[in-house]
Amino acid sequence: MKTAFITGASSGFGAAIAEKFALGGFRLVLLARRTDRLQALAKKIGTDCHLISCDVRDGERLREAVATLPPDFSQIEILINNAGLALGLEPAHQTLWADWQQMIETNCTAVAHLTRLIAPGMVARRRGHIVMIGSVAGNYAYPGGNVYGATKAFVGQFSQNLRADLSQHGIRVTYIAPGLSGGSEFSEVRFHGDAEKAAAVYVGTEPLLPADIAECVDWAVRQPAHVNINSIELMPTCQASGPLAVNRSQKV
Ligand code: NDP
Ligand code: 8X3
């Protein structure tokens, strides 16, 4: 039975990926801060799960959690770097510095750290697949995307550079960049718990859902071992990238 390690499994994409993988017969390591959510998910999906309550920004705790994986869960075949967040949609000069820091620590530093902790075992076994959840925000600029988009661009470039190092060891790396997605806590987190503002993001749209992202991840990891899906970008049909804009209304 293969073991998959999924970060951010307490909600949204991570929980949907866990459900999909459980159907596929994976053994799961599920990580998030909210233990009660992880426990409820493990009960629902009914597969073998090892739960890790951890803030990924706590480097010492992360190291300890990986070092003390029970023997049945210690040979990670698939790592899903999914835990992440956006905070704020203000223009760059009006954002909270603490929000920028939290996004960089969660979306960049912790992703790099966990990958650094898990990759050596994959290399030693010559088996493994690292899946990164990025965002269209890392591929296209939009007002208010500032540091969030930049953290996801980091994830995209990190994925490519990992492949450059790890392909010779038989390790696969896939970068998945979803667009507008509902059915998760993403927007509520982004707007610091303002449910009305969060709901407004999806008005008049039919966004992607966590199950759509789980479907892509599942497809990518089920390819034969000689096939590496480098990247997938998906958007809901109602979304498209906008044109380059020239602001002619201001004199500088
Ligand atoms: P959710 O807010 O529903 O899920 C985020 C998950 O990340 C939660 O399980 C949360 O768990 C976990 N998490 C956040 N911070 C930490 C932390 N410091 N330590 C441990 N776990 C943490 O959002 P989504 O499912 O929508 O987002 C998942 C990923 O997809 C993110 O990386 C996001 O940037 C990306 N994404 C989202 C899109 C969207 O529109 N929804 C589109 C494109 C990409 P807990 O709070 O319990 O710790
Ligand atoms: C989430 C998608 O467009 O809100 O990463 O940045 S978007």
Side-chain angles (χ1 to χ4, degrees):
M1 199 185 230
K2 288 182 185 173
T3 301
F5 189 132
I6 305 171
T7 68
S10 62
S11 169
F13 299 176
I17 295 164
E19 288 195 40
K20 188 85 186 169
F21 278 10
L23 291 174
F26 285 95
R27 183 185 280 132
L28 300 176
V29 178
L30 304 177
L31 180 150
R33 289 166 298 186
R34 288 170 295 177
T35 319
D36 53 336
R37 293 287 203 95
L38 294 180
Q39 285 167 341
L41 178 66
K43 198 170 166 192
K44 181 178 171 196
I45 62 183
T47 193
D48 275 358
C49 290
H50 173 67
L51 309 184
I52 302 176
S53 309
C54 174
D55 186 326
V56 289
R57 293 170 296 164
D58 182 344
E60 205 169 309
R61 170 83 187 101
L62 200 60
R63 265 193 301 281
E64 185 221 332
V66 172
T68 59
L69 284 169
D72 279 356
F73 293 87
S74 62
Q75 303 210 338
I76 307 300
E77 177 96 12
I78 297 173
L79 168 62
I80 312 286
N81 271 314
N82 164 74
L85 78 172
L87 290 169
L89 197 60
E90 294 78 20
H93 61 290
Q94 290 170 347
T95 53
L96 295 173
W97 172 240
D99 284 354
W100 279 14
Q101 275 183 306
Q102 188 172 346
M103 288 189 280
I104 292 166
E105 287 167 9
T106 310
N107 301 355
C108 301
T109 309
V111 167
H113 191 192
L114 185 59
T115 302
R116 181 65 185 82
L117 291 170
I118 302 279
M122 290 181 167
V123 169
R125 292 187 294 278
R126 287 196 63 80
R127 288 175 71 90
H129 195 155
I130 300 169
V131 178
M132 303 284 197
I133 304 297
S135 168
V136 295
N139 300 352
Y140 310 97
Y142 64 81
N146 43 71
V147 161
Y148 176 63
T151 64
K152 292 303 189 179
F154 168 89
V155 175
Q157 189 62 36
F158 184 42
S159 304
Q160 289 195 40
N161 286 350
L162 275 175
R163 252 185 73 54
D165 288 346
L166 300 182
S167 69
Q168 64 188 306
H169 301 288
I171 313 302
R172 297 189 285 177
V173 183
T174 298
Y175 174 71
I176 298 190
L180 182 76
S181 308
S184 79
E185 297 174 351
F186 178 82
S187 290
E188 247 183 274
V189 170
R190 176 170 232 171
F191 297 120
H192 299 279
D194 186 332
E196 214 172 299
K197 247 179 158 176
V201 171
Y202 307 102
V203 169
T205 75
E206 188 175 351
L208 297 173
L209 293 172
D212 299 318
I213 284 72
E215 188 68 33
C216 282
V217 172
D218 191 56
W219 176 76
V221 304
R222 285 189 187 288
Q223 295 306 304
H226 69 283
V227 177
N228 190 95
I229 303 298
N230 292 351
S231 65
I232 300 176
E233 181 186 291
L234 65 157
M235 289 180 183
T237 307
C238 66
Q239 187 179 35
S241 58
L244 291 174
V246 178
N247 183 353
R248 301 182 193 281
S249 64
Q250 281 181 344
K251 286 208 174 90
V252 278

